Structures are given as C-alpha cells and as structure tokens.
C-alpha cells in the first residue's frame, strides 16, 4: 500500500495519472484526473518532446526517425497519458499518416508480396499498429485511421500474426510484428464496435498464447529476438515484444487468467524488487538533448536490474493485480 500511495501521489503527473487510473480505478473524467492531465500537458517531459517542433507544428526529421521523429514523439506522448484532443499535434500525425499512405509505402522495400505467397504480405505492421494506438489515445483519428485498420486485417497472415521478413522461406508470423497490431485492433474494435477488428485481434492473441507468449511452437524453446534483446527482461519505453509488454496486452484483452500466461507471469513476479517495485532492465533509448540515433528528449526514469522504475512499476503492478494468485 505504501508503494501504491507513493505512485498515486507522485510529483510526476504521468506516474500519478497512470497509477490512479490502473491501480486506483479512477475515472479519466474525474476532476482530479483532468487536473492531472493538464499537469502532464505542462510537464517537463512533454515540453522537451515537443521542443523541436517548427512554427508549422512539424518535426523536420524522417517521420519514423528512432526515436525523435514525429511517429515516436506521438507514441511517447501517449505513453505519458498526454490529454486527448490537442489539435496542435495534427501536423505530427499528418507527417506520419502521409508517410504511411505514400504509394511507395506498399511497394518494395517497405512492403513485399511474394508470388505464390499472396496470403503472407511482408509488412512492418507495427508502424500502422502504433499509429492507430496513439491516434486513439490522443484523439487524433481521422478518416484515414479506419483504412489503417483495414490494412492490418488485410495483411494478417493465416496463422494470425504479421511479419516483415522479406525472406521467402519465412512461413511463420513474427512475435515482434504481431503484438502491436494485435493491441491496435483490439482497442479499435472495443472503442468503435468493430467486430472484424476484434476477431482479428483474437486470432492474433491465439497465435501468441499457443506459444505460451514466450516459446517456439516447433520445439518449445525460448524465442530469441536478436535486435530486440532478451524477451524475459523488461524493456522500456520502446516496447516491441518482451515479458511485461505481452502481459500488458493480455491483461487489456481480459486473457491474463489463461493458463498459457502462467510462465510469463511467474517470470514477471520474479522481477519484483524488495521495495515492491520493478526494474527497467533494458533501457532502449538514451535521453539526449540533441537528435541522436535511438535517443529521446524525455527522461524515462532510472534503469538497471536493482533499481525500481516508476513507469515500469505501475504497469507491472496493474498486470499482477488482474492476474490469478500464484
């Protein structure tokens, strides 16, 4: 209880908001939460993230620049629970939407359909997935957002996932490219009553659950994602696929009680530190005041296996609060 009180009373408004929402069950419509939202809007992290906008509201970087560009800036704002409906963010959204809807986007090298494998389009669907997710969270949807949902459904592989591997020998969906589109389809389906999107999300979830979230179906071995890092470690703030992130999504979908989540839950519980918090074990972006590869203007808190990180702790405690007792 002391830890939860510390989180809900944090001086960092994003931490306090997330804790009160996920651990306290407080409505975003309450006066106190709306007040916290305005504090988030005025917070130093938000100021830094938006400090490199030009007068027209854009960021003069590649739309997908890791992690300073428009796409990842909006992703970061959603992660901080920035309040929805800010029209000054529309130029950033348009930068990435324009990128996604360029004619060349669905052609090589960004996308590929191999003759004879038309049911397995090669596409980095996490891009569309994250764009849908922050559009929903930040209130930035427009008439192109449903087209992104349609694209995700159309590009879903028969086994339920997605993959961007251009190698013709690739026959199975990618864990990394599946989790974010799955999450986007689920939240869109729930928010808009889109049953086709929800059905696609359910199919994708089953792809992961069949593999107990962590293991290959062929031999039961732990999956290895070379460019992501160890999936049994907690990664933040850029989440593609890891122990905590996949459990977050399962919890959001109401699937955290599925017995096939039990191994991942046990591994998450084993990460809990003596103070009750959870560590940011793999800090996958560097806080920097200048634009660098894989850098962020925001400060995402302490990292290391022996130090609690408040952002990670809120999310992990929320997952475990919904999970069955060990």
């Amino acid at each position: 209880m002391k830890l939860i009180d510390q989180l809900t009373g944090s001086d960092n408004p994003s931490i306090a908001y997330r804790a009160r929402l996920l651990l306290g069950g407080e409505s975003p419509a309450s006066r106190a939460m709306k007040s916290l939202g305005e504090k988030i809007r005025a917070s130093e992290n938000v100021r830094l993230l938006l400090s490199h906008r030009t007068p027209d509201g854009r960021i003069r970087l590649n739309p997908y620049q890791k992690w300073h560009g428009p796409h990842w800036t909006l992703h970061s704002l959603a992660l901080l629970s920035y309040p929805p409906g800010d029209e000054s963010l529309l130029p950033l959204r348009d930068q990435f939407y324009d990128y996604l809807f360029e004619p060349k986007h669905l052609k090589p090298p960004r996308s590929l359909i191999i003759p004879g494998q038309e049911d397995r389009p090669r596409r980095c669907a996490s891009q569309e997935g994250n764009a849908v997710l922050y559009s929903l969270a930040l209130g930035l949807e427009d008439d192109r957002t449903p087209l992104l949902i349609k694209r995700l459904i159309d590009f879903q592989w028969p086994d339920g996932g997605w993959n961007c591997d251009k190698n013709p020998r690739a026959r199975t969906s990618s864990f990394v490219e599946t989790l974010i589109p799955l999450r986007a389809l689920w939240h869109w389906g729930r928010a808009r009553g889109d049953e086709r999107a929800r059905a696609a999300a359910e199919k994708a979830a089953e792809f992961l659950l069949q593999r107990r979230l962590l293991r290959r179906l062929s031999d039961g071995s732990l999956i290895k994602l070379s460019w992501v890092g160890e999936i049994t470690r907690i990664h933040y703030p850029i989440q593609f696929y890891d122990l905590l992130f996949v459990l977050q999504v399962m919890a959001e979908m109401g699937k955290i009680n599925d017995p096939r989540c039990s191994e991942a839950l046990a591994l998450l519980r084993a990460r809990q530190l003596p103070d009750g918090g959870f560590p940011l074990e793999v800090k996958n972006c560097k806080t920097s005041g200048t634009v660098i590869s894989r850098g962020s203007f925001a400060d995402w808190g302490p990292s290391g296996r022996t130090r609690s990180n408040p952002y990670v702790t809120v999310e992990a405690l929320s997952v475990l609060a919904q999970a069955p007792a060990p």
Side-chain angles (χ1 to χ4, degrees), residues 205-251:
E206 187 60 24
F207 169 81
L208 298 177
L209 286 165
Q210 285 177 350
R211 291 155 175 82
R212 290 179 285 160
L213 310 182
L214 303 171
R215 297 190 175 276
R216 299 185 185 281
L217 196 60
S218 58
D219 60 8
S221 63
L222 200 66
I223 61 170
K224 295 180 180 179
L225 307 174
S226 57
W227 67 273
V228 173
E230 289 184 71
I231 62 164
T232 57
R233 301 292 178 187
I234 297 173
H235 301 234
Y236 203 84
I238 305 301
Q239 297 173 290
F240 278 102
Y241 200 96
D242 75 339
L243 178 70
L244 175 59
F245 188 34
V246 69
L247 287 172
Q248 284 178 250
V249 177
M250 292 300 110

Side-chain angles (χ1 to χ4, degrees), residues 155-166:
F155 276 38
Q156 189 172 26
W157 283 28
D159 63 9
W162 292 261
N163 202 334
C164 60
D165 191 342
K166 306 302 192 296

Side-chain angles (χ1 to χ4, degrees), residues 16-17 20-21 24-38:
Y17 187 99
R20 292 172 71 160
L21 178 72
E26 193 161 346
S27 169
S30 73
R31 181 178 299 178
M33 292 289 271
K34 287 183 176 180
S35 176
L36 272 177
E38 291 309 307

Side-chain angles (χ1 to χ4, degrees), residues 39-324:
K39 290 180 181 179
I40 293 170
R41 190 193 305 274
S43 67
E44 182 66 1
N45 263 350
V46 166
R47 186 191 71 78
L48 290 169
L49 284 168
L50 298 178
S51 64
H52 53 317
R53 287 189 296 180
T54 54
D56 63 359
R58 296 165 71 87
I59 294 173
R60 300 301 181 191
L61 294 171
N62 180 291
Y64 195 68
Q65 171 95 23
K66 299 173 182 175
W67 311 110
H68 282 108
H71 177 69
W72 291 105
T73 296
L74 292 173
H75 171 272
S76 295
L77 290 175
L79 211 57
L80 294 171
S81 292
Y82 187 86
D86 184 351
E87 294 186 358
S88 76
L89 300 178
L90 293 177
L92 298 181
R93 179 210 63 188
D94 288 342
Q95 277 187 270
F96 198 66
Y97 271 35
D98 290 347
Y99 171 86
L100 289 176
F101 285 99
E102 289 176 337
K104 65 181 180 182
H105 189 69
L106 297 182
K107 299 177 181 179
R110 295 190 197 171
S111 305
L112 176 66
I113 295 179
I114 298 172
Q117 299 185 27
E118 287 80 6
D119 61 345
R120 295 191 295 277
R122 316 301 166 119
R123 171 79 211 111
C124 295
S126 59
Q127 294 182 346
E128 283 85 355
N130 265 332
V132 169
L133 285 164
Y134 61 63
S135 294
L136 283 170
L138 300 173
L140 301 178
E141 318 101 280
D142 69 4
D143 56 4
R144 293 171 293 180
T145 314
L147 299 179
L148 295 178
I149 292 295
K150 182 179 184 302
R151 184 185 295 178
L152 287 174
I153 295 172
D154 289 347
F155 276 38
Q156 189 172 26
W157 283 28
D159 63 9
W162 292 261
N163 202 334
C164 60
D165 191 342
K166 306 302 192 296
N167 187 333
R169 292 177 296 177
R171 291 290 191 272
T172 305
S173 291
S174 159
F175 281 71
V176 172
E177 288 301 329
T178 293
L179 188 55
I180 294 171
L182 151 62
R183 191 186 200 194
L185 287 164
W186 175 257
H187 283 285
W188 177 268
R190 186 177 64 172
R192 299 291 176 263
D194 187 334
E195 291 304 318
R196 191 174 177 218
R198 289 177 68 121
E202 291 283 356
K203 185 177 180 180
E206 187 60 24
F207 169 81
L208 298 177
L209 286 165
Q210 285 177 350
R211 291 155 175 82
R212 290 179 285 160
L213 310 182
L214 303 171
R215 297 190 175 276
R216 299 185 185 281
L217 196 60
S218 58
D219 60 8
S221 63
L222 200 66
I223 61 170
K224 295 180 180 179
L225 307 174
S226 57
W227 67 273
V228 173
E230 289 184 71
I231 62 164
T232 57
R233 301 292 178 187
I234 297 173
H235 301 234
Y236 203 84
I238 305 301
Q239 297 173 290
F240 278 102
Y241 200 96
D242 75 339
L243 178 70
L244 175 59
F245 188 34
V246 69
L247 287 172
Q248 284 178 250
V249 177
M250 292 300 110
E252 290 167 0
M253 294 185 71
K255 296 184 179 296
I256 202 67
N257 290 310
D258 190 302
R260 293 170 292 181
C261 294
S262 59
E263 180 184 12
L265 283 167
L267 288 169
L268 180 62
R269 289 188 176 100
R271 297 282 178 269
Q272 194 163 25
L273 298 171
D275 66 0
F278 288 80
L280 194 176
E281 296 177 289
V282 182
K283 192 172 187 177
N284 45 28
C285 75
K286 181 179 180 181
T287 301
S288 172
T290 58
V291 175
I292 61 172
S293 178
R294 299 178 183 271
S296 173
F297 289 117
D299 179 358
W300 297 100
S303 60
R305 296 184 182 184
T306 62
R307 303 174 68 194
S308 292
N309 177 286
Y311 292 100
V312 168
T313 296
V314 169
E315 304 300 335
L317 289 177
S318 173
V319 166
L320 295 181
Q322 300 172 69

Side-chain angles (χ1 to χ4, degrees), residues 3-18:
L3 175 59
I4 293 177
D5 289 343
Q6 290 173 350
L7 294 168
T8 56
S10 173
D11 291 336
N12 181 326
S14 293
I15 298 298
Y17 187 99
R18 297 292 294 171

